[in-house]
Amino acid sequence: MVGWNGIELTVPKTWEAIVSGPCHLLFEFDFAPLFELRWERVGKLSSSRFEARVRQIRHQAQKGGRPLARSINKDDLAANFDFTRLFGDDRGELSEGICYCSQSTILLVFQVLTHQHRLRTMVKSVLKSLKCRPGSEVLWRVQDFSLKLPPSFHLQDFSFLAGFTSLKFNGPDYSLMAGKLAGAGKRLEHQSLAALLPVLAGTDHIRLQQKEHSCTGYRKPGWGKRMFYRLKREPPFLTAKIWRTTGSDHLLAIILSSTSNICDTSLDSHSQRYEII
């Protein structure tokens, strides 16, 4: 299962999901591209407005130098979307499509990039699992981690660096950063969890409580200190946790920051929904 910014689909474990943008996923197998997904939230669309968007997207593709594929009549994706337009090559093989889900108001465009018959067949099967209907939680699951958040949290930034992954969100009451560090064993030979957490939080002004496999920290300043942090353009309130995962060589971290007090249960609630898979 892969989940990213409102999109979920089931892919083989040997396929790699590459995050190319906030609403752009590329899937590869053995370093060769298989297909890509792009999407956006466009609000409510009627059938006629959907067809107008289809014409606009295809016109832009043609201006970009891509030859237009012909329309084909297949309803493989109809179960998960309200409107679909599918296009294929001269042999009628599926090559691209435009889909719309009214519940999530997501307009999605996919393009099949592989020309190998076996892989194209697998891609079509994967596309049947594609869904974007909203639920009580949004799944963020790529590479080897899984994070579940309420839909009120919106992605602000992300980074996939060698050995370190971070996702940053804005929520209704606080901001959230989810971090993943590889090579936990080597890191902890040189730095303790209590030394790593302030680095990830971006401040030394944090009270720490270390246990055997985890470390938590918090900052709840008085009125005078709040003004000090605001002058430094730092959120006054902060609560954070870093822990070593069981069964893998990773460290996970959740950092919450806000201009107002953060509920004591929020950190544990998010930590329980963040894991290595």
Side-chain angles (χ1 to χ4, degrees), residues 150-186:
S152 55
F153 281 79
H154 301 287
L155 182 68
Q156 296 300 308
D157 195 13
F158 62 90
S159 177
F160 293 89
L161 302 176
F164 179 64
T165 296
S166 69
L167 305 180
K168 297 179 181 179
F169 301 86
N170 275 348
D173 300 314
Y174 47 81
S175 297
L176 181 150
M177 191 279 279
K180 175 177 71 76
L181 294 89
K186 287 290 185 181

Side-chain angles (χ1 to χ4, degrees), residues 52-63:
R53 291 301 297 264
V54 170
R55 290 192 294 271
Q56 180 186 27
I57 292 170
R58 286 172 61 77
H59 178 67
Q60 291 174 345
Q62 189 176 33
K63 286 179 63 178

Side-chain angles (χ1 to χ4, degrees), residues 15-223:
W15 292 11
E16 182 179 5
I18 299 172
V19 178
S20 299
C23 296
H24 184 193
L25 291 178
L26 174 67
F27 292 85
E28 292 186 349
F29 171 66
D30 199 21
F31 301 104
L34 297 173
F35 70 101
E36 67 174 345
L37 303 172
R38 298 176 185 267
W39 65 96
E40 61 177 319
R41 287 173 174 82
V42 295
K44 294 295 183 181
L45 292 182
S46 62
S47 176
S48 59
R49 291 183 64 189
F50 170 73
E51 291 297 334
R53 291 301 297 264
V54 170
R55 290 192 294 271
Q56 180 186 27
I57 292 170
R58 286 172 61 77
H59 178 67
Q60 291 174 345
Q62 189 176 33
K63 286 179 63 178
R66 199 170 80 204
L68 288 182
R70 64 177 62 184
S71 180
I72 57 176
N73 295 318
K74 292 185 178 181
D75 59 356
D76 300 48
L77 301 177
N80 294 332
F81 293 92
D82 297 280
F83 305 128
T84 61
R85 285 292 304 276
L86 305 179
F87 305 92
D89 56 22
D90 294 337
R91 297 174 298 174
E93 290 289 332
L94 180 66
S95 61
E96 55 192 83
I98 304 171
C99 313
Y100 173 72
C101 171
S102 62
Q103 292 188 29
S104 62
T105 70
I106 285 178
L107 182 71
L108 180 143
V109 180
F110 69 82
Q111 184 178 9
V112 181
L113 303 173
T114 180
H115 297 288
Q116 296 185 35
H117 178 72
R118 181 180 65 87
L119 291 175
R120 288 176 71 94
T121 301
M122 294 176 68
V123 168
K124 286 190 288 185
S125 178
V126 165
L127 288 171
K128 292 179 184 179
S129 72
L130 184 62
K131 60 181 180 180
C132 55
R133 300 190 183 278
S136 59
E137 292 182 314
V138 177
L139 178 66
W140 301 84
R141 178 169 173 160
V142 293
Q143 296 183 347
D144 55 359
F145 71 87
S146 175
L147 172 68
K148 294 179 180 179
L149 289 175
S152 55
F153 281 79
H154 301 287
L155 182 68
Q156 296 300 308
D157 195 13
F158 62 90
S159 177
F160 293 89
L161 302 176
F164 179 64
T165 296
S166 69
L167 305 180
K168 297 179 181 179
F169 301 86
N170 275 348
D173 300 314
Y174 47 81
S175 297
L176 181 150
M177 191 279 279
K180 175 177 71 76
L181 294 89
K186 287 290 185 181
R187 290 179 187 273
L188 294 178
E189 288 178 3
H190 305 285
Q191 281 184 296
S192 66
L193 294 175
L196 286 168
L197 188 56
V199 175
L200 294 175
T203 179
D204 291 326
H205 301 129
I206 182 172
R207 294 187 178 184
L208 300 172
Q209 298 175 342
Q210 182 160 0
K211 297 181 180 179
E212 184 178 0
H213 298 296
S214 67
C215 180
T216 57
Y218 67 93
R219 184 169 74 192
K220 297 182 179 181
W223 286 104

